[in-house]
Amino acid sequence: NLISSKKSITDRRSIQTMTKRDSNGSSKSTILVTGGSGLVGQAIKSYVESSAPSNAEYKDSETWIFLSSKDGDLRDRKATDAIFEKYQPTHVIHLAAKVGGLFANMAQKVEFYRENTLINDNIMENCRIHKVTKLVSMLSTCIFPDKTTYPIDETMLHDGPPHPSNEGYAYAKRLIDTMNRAYHEEYGCNFTSIIPTNIYGPHDNFSIQNGHVIPGLIHKCYKAKQDNTPFTIWGSGTPLRQFIYSLDLAELTVWVMREYHSPDPITLSVDEDAEVSIKDVAHAVAKAMKFEGDIVFDTTKADGQFKKTACNKKLRSYRPDYKFTPMEEGVQKAVDWFLENYETARK
């Protein structure tokens, strides 16, 4: 029985690696990106449409489809089934999620857990049924244990409970890693996950109430400049973070899809010495916005976790020479995009 069950897993694995062939017999890939209209989805779109040398050999063999919420509700199984039937993807990059900042996570733990669990289950099960060659799902450093040693690495994901402020979201996301391994063991599926640090860039959600750190600060600074008022930052400004520019993350995510084949997650992060304080970020935003007023830190507001330093040793073992965009340069690009697209930007 053990031999036959091992053989069936091997058979299933050989099925999983099949891709479509065109009339010349060369393999064609159809890559479906969920959450394709968001920050990372749009960055991937920019990257794969660019003339980057790393894309040249794939230009004719890959078709990219970027889904938005208009294409169907991924919380709904039938709607998700219909999307997979329509596009028949060979690869999936799964970015879609219910996301929000610290205060939204604290207020809606049930919704963050339930909606993300439904989305993830619908995507993973459809990838199995449709024999998708590769599924790459996105996790986050905020799902790691609250009480831990630093730097954190991929092996520590399940070592303790997450920070209470976002436990609904964190447990839903942790289950992706659990199920990647389960689908690999039981069905031979090539499912993996990436763990980026704090992402920012063009096409972000610049909401002050529900956005993440950098886009929220960019919008706040814009308003302070318009209204000639102080630029007020929630919290003390002392927490430390690693920020990754969205176009860097896009390039590395596509590399994971094409080249990294293990169910174990991989952290996509700048190096540890590129960690910066929120205060540094606020000053970089003010400089990029050419804001010359007062910068004030409101210490009556919560800081969240003090630090979440992530170790990128695994990434560096594969990509030792990868050059990340420096924070000041990335912030300038994000500010420029926000100003150019102010009317249509999410905010």
Side-chain angles (χ1 to χ4, degrees):
N1 264 358
L2 185 59
I3 291 166
S4 65
S5 76
K6 278 187 175 168
K7 182 180 184 301
S8 69
I9 285 177
T10 307
D11 291 345
R12 284 196 291 262
R13 281 184 185 156
S14 64
I15 292 167
Q16 294 292 347
T17 56
M18 287 165 57
T19 48
K20 293 173 186 168
R21 302 262 158 192
D22 64 13
S23 55
N24 301 321
S26 60
S27 64
K28 299 283 278 184
S29 299
T30 301
I31 301 111
L32 188 70
V33 181
T34 73
S37 63
L39 168 64
V40 183
Q42 286 297 299
I44 291 174
K45 192 167 193 281
S46 298
Y47 172 68
V48 297
E49 288 173 357
S50 74
S51 54
S54 51
N55 270 327
E57 64 182 289
Y58 297 97
K59 280 282 188 207
D60 299 327
S61 62
E62 291 179 347
T63 302
W64 289 79
I65 294 146
F66 294 87
L67 295 180
S68 76
S69 52
K70 295 185 189 78
D71 292 294
D73 184 349
L74 297 177
R75 295 169 299 185
D76 181 85
R77 179 59 190 264
K78 288 199 167 116
T80 312
D81 292 350
I83 287 167
F84 274 75
E85 283 296 330
K86 179 179 178 180
Y87 293 110
Q88 298 290 320
T90 59
H91 298 69
V92 175
I93 295 178
H94 175 37
L95 310 172
K98 178 178 175 65
V99 295
L102 174 67
F103 299 95
N105 267 281
M106 286 164 73
Q108 293 183 285
K109 289 181 187 179
V110 172
E111 289 73 20
F112 275 93
Y113 173 79
R114 291 197 67 245
E115 292 180 31
N116 283 305
T117 302
L118 288 166
I119 291 168
N120 299 337
D121 185 64
N122 289 338
I123 292 294
M124 292 178 122
E125 191 56 355
N126 263 288
C127 285
R128 179 188 72 80
I129 291 164
H130 288 265
K131 300 180 173 61
V132 163
T133 303
K134 182 74 172 280
L135 166 64
V136 180
S137 299
M138 190 160 75
L139 308 184
S140 161
T141 51
C142 72
I143 73 175
F144 274 87
D146 178 34
K147 306 273 189 289
T148 188
T149 55
Y150 292 94
I152 46 180
D153 68 35
E154 299 86 352
T155 65
M156 299 157 73
L157 187 57
H158 304 280
D159 284 357
H163 193 267
S165 65
N166 72 330
E167 60 188 348
Y169 175 82
Y171 279 116
K173 283 290 192 181
R174 283 186 185 191
L175 283 172
I176 290 178
D177 174 53
T178 305
M179 295 312 295
N180 281 343
R181 282 179 280 110
Y183 272 103
H184 179 71
E185 287 164 17
E186 189 174 340
Y187 294 104
C189 297
N190 190 2
F191 293 178
T192 194
S193 58
I194 54 174
I195 308 174
T197 41
N198 296 268
I199 316 155
Y200 70 98
H203 301 277
D204 209 336
N205 179 354
F206 293 84
S207 162
I208 291 171
Q209 194 64 38
N210 295 317
H212 284 107
V213 179
I214 290 183
L217 290 176
I218 288 172
H219 193 182
K220 256 192 183 173
C221 189
Y222 172 84
K223 286 194 142 171
K225 188 177 178 182
Q226 295 296 107
D227 301 341
N228 204 18
T229 54
F231 174 25
T232 304
I233 292 94
W234 287 345
S236 65
T238 55
L240 301 170
R241 295 291 182 268
Q242 287 155 298
F243 292 96
I244 183 167
Y245 184 55
S246 59
L247 272 294
D248 294 351
L249 178 60
E251 183 176 348
L252 291 169
T253 301
V254 173
W255 166 77
V256 166
M257 184 200 79
R258 293 171 179 161
E259 308 285 341
Y260 174 80
H261 303 302
S262 163
D264 297 323
I266 184 166
T267 300
L268 302 182
S269 170
V270 298
D271 302 317
E272 289 168 48
D273 61 10
E275 193 170 47
V276 292
S277 71
I278 302 302
K279 192 173 281 187
D280 293 336
V281 176
H283 285 285
V285 168
K287 185 182 172 194
M289 192 71 75
K290 298 184 173 60
F291 175 81
E292 286 164 11
D294 292 334
I295 300 175
V296 177
F297 292 88
D298 179 0
T299 54
T300 65
K301 294 285 196 294
D303 271 337
Q305 283 172 268
F306 173 65
K307 62 188 267 174
K308 316 191 250 190
T309 318
C311 169
N312 69 355
K313 260 191 193 135
K314 185 191 271 194
L315 172 65
R316 283 302 189 195
S317 72
Y318 292 98
R319 302 291 304 267
D321 302 322
Y322 186 80
K323 299 265 191 301
F324 288 93
T325 304
M327 191 266 290
E328 292 82 1
E329 186 186 321
V331 165
Q332 186 67 64
K333 287 177 178 174
V335 166
D336 292 346
W337 186 90
F338 178 73
L339 295 174
E340 281 163 26
N341 298 275
Y342 180 77
E343 294 308 321
T344 53
R346 288 183 295 162
K347 57 188 186 295

